[in-house]
Amino acid sequence: MKYFQEAKAHFVASHQHPINQFLHHLTNIVAIAAVVFLFYDWRLTIVCLVLTQVFALGGHAFFEKNEPAFVKYPGIAILAAMQWSFENWFGLRQVLQQINLSKN
């Protein structure tokens, strides 16, 4: 459990740029779609898996300018990413917070 908490803390720390966060939430949604498409057409699953890598690695290369969390925590970083997205309702919570801040 401690290892997972360390991996999640590292994941959160390496995903501070808002566009990178958005891309990673999108990546997690597409990853879930990949699992669903596995039962429909495996080729769509492959397309989804390629897109997840493009979005995630692109976010780090162009916006965050750091290495992905899975480099330090292979495997477990995927679970940390999913938990992070679920905790943030796949980015919706952050959008709602921004809307509330702009109203005040």
Side-chain angles (χ1 to χ4, degrees):
M1 190 66 163
K2 182 180 176 194
Y3 183 74
F4 179 77
Q5 294 303 327
E6 290 172 7
K8 186 174 175 205
H10 177 72
F11 180 88
V12 171
S14 63
H15 296 84
Q16 295 299 306
H17 194 282
I19 295 175
N20 191 37
Q21 290 177 354
F22 169 78
L23 288 171
H24 277 70
H25 288 306
L26 184 61
T27 293
N28 290 334
I29 291 169
V30 173
I32 291 169
V35 173
V36 172
F37 285 142
L38 187 60
F39 299 100
Y40 177 69
D41 186 345
W42 64 270
R43 292 170 290 209
L44 291 173
T45 297
I46 299 298
V47 169
C48 286
L49 293 176
V50 169
L51 286 175
T52 62
Q53 297 309 299
V54 169
F55 294 152
L57 296 175
H60 284 282
F62 296 107
F63 300 104
E64 205 71 58
K65 308 246 190 277
N66 63 12
E67 66 182 20
F70 72 79
V71 172
K72 185 171 182 178
Y73 293 96
I76 197 84
I78 295 168
L79 296 175
M82 283 295 181
Q83 184 181 22
W84 171 74
S85 278
F86 276 104
E87 287 173 353
N88 289 291
W89 311 331
F90 292 95
L92 182 59
R93 188 172 80 169
Q94 293 147 317
V95 170
L96 292 173
Q97 286 174 343
Q98 289 298 321
I99 291 170
N100 287 335
L101 289 175
S102 66
K103 287 182 181 178
N104 294 333

